[in-house]
Amino acid sequence: MRPDLHHLFRMDKLPHIWCPGCGHGIITRAIGEAIADSDIDLEQTVIVSGIGCSSRAPGYMNFDTLHTLHGRALAFATGVKLSNPQLNVFVLTGDGDATAIGGNHFIHAARRNINLNVILFNNNIYGMTGGQYSPLTPTGKMATTSPYGNLENNFDIPVLAIASGASYVARGTAFHDKLLVDCIKEGIKNKGFSLIEAMSMCPTSYGRRNKMGTAADMLNDLKTSAVNINVAKKLTPEKLEGKFLIGTLHHKPYREFTEEYDKLIDRLRKEGD
Ligand SMILES: Cc1ncc(C[n+]2csc(CCOP(=O)(O)OP(=O)(O)O)c2C)c(N)n1
Ligand code: SF4
């Protein structure tokens, strides 16, 4: 880790709980790097999470942090942002946390275009509880709750976020960590709901069950399965078969919820005078 990032982390809380080879540490470091490189006031920054291995990340970050309830990170973050819109609010969440139990909070926070920076750690599984499938587990993959292969279709989370109203949507991976840092920085600049899907790996609860080899093999899978959106524009659909896109997938700023809320309060105050 860059020495200039040390003050952003609670070094006294180490060692962390993550298994050897877990991708969540790389993503947490990338978030720290993006925050350090952005011109934001650290004293005015709050990091909120739900419950899960990914949601433990704020516990290692030296900010005002909230470790809340499974699936409710966005509900708490919405409250924090509305109570003080000047705050920079980050939400660190897992695929289960954000898209299963927290799925409704996710689509409605995106629909409001409330100015939150959401980093969704997608390891395709419920890691913390031992490997149940989530809405982001690909069809056919093994989980404790799908021992013959997952029958369900998985969400493409950027597509869901865009359709719901998010104004900035991007995807990075634990392998493409520099790109991930850039996407998070862009998300911070966006005044509205920013969703950055960070593809992670869980060798313990997902890789082992799906015979994906070592953590290094899983990292290599992320490398070979991802295609930068700028490169993808020049490729045929056949070449993109089985791949996923990374980079900025959508950026369309429009009216932001807390600003509209403040305008309404001002208007009502004036009308009351
Ligand atoms: C209301 C509630 N339901 C279920 C749980 C159990 N639980 C804790 S973490 C978790 C899944 C976490 O998965 P994910 O959000 O994908 O994060 P990961 O551990 O994979 O990083 C579940 C189901 C809980 N803590 N609270
Ligand atoms: S169970 Fe999976 S997600 Fe949780 S710490 Fe271990 S490798 Fe990471």
Side-chain angles (χ1 to χ4, degrees), residues 72-137:
R72 306 293 176 235
L74 278 162
F76 279 83
T78 298
V80 170
K81 186 72 185 172
L82 268 173
S83 70
N84 182 355
Q86 303 314 313
L87 294 173
N88 311 299
V89 184
F90 289 78
V91 177
L92 313 192
T93 180
D95 46 304
D97 196 65
T99 70
I101 190 171
N104 255 332
H105 295 299
F106 182 83
I107 57 175
H108 294 295
R111 178 175 62 80
R112 293 184 191 111
N113 194 32
I114 184 165
N115 192 359
L116 301 174
N117 305 305
V118 181
I119 296 96
L120 194 160
F121 295 52
N122 180 10
N123 57 10
N124 305 111
I125 203 82
Y126 285 10
M128 179 167 265
T129 41
Q132 297 80 12
Y133 69 83
S134 88
L136 302 192
T137 303

Side-chain angles (χ1 to χ4, degrees), residues 17-24 52-54 123 125-130 200-206:
I17 63 153
W18 296 315
C19 308
C22 178
H24 290 354
C53 299
S54 37
N123 57 10
I125 203 82
Y126 285 10
M128 179 167 265
T129 41
S200 187
M201 69 270 188
C202 171
T204 305
S205 296
Y206 185 68

Side-chain angles (χ1 to χ4, degrees), residues 222-259:
L222 290 176
K223 176 186 175 189
T224 53
S225 307
V227 181
N228 191 295
I229 185 155
N230 298 321
V231 176
K233 284 176 189 149
K234 296 171 213 139
L235 298 179
T236 61
E238 292 75 38
K239 288 257 184 224
L240 290 171
E241 189 67 37
K243 308 278 186 196
F244 61 82
L245 301 182
I246 54 172
T248 293
L249 308 176
H250 172 83
H251 190 194
K252 221 177 204 178
Y254 69 105
R255 58 191 210 112
E256 190 275 327
F257 185 67
T258 59
E259 281 189 358

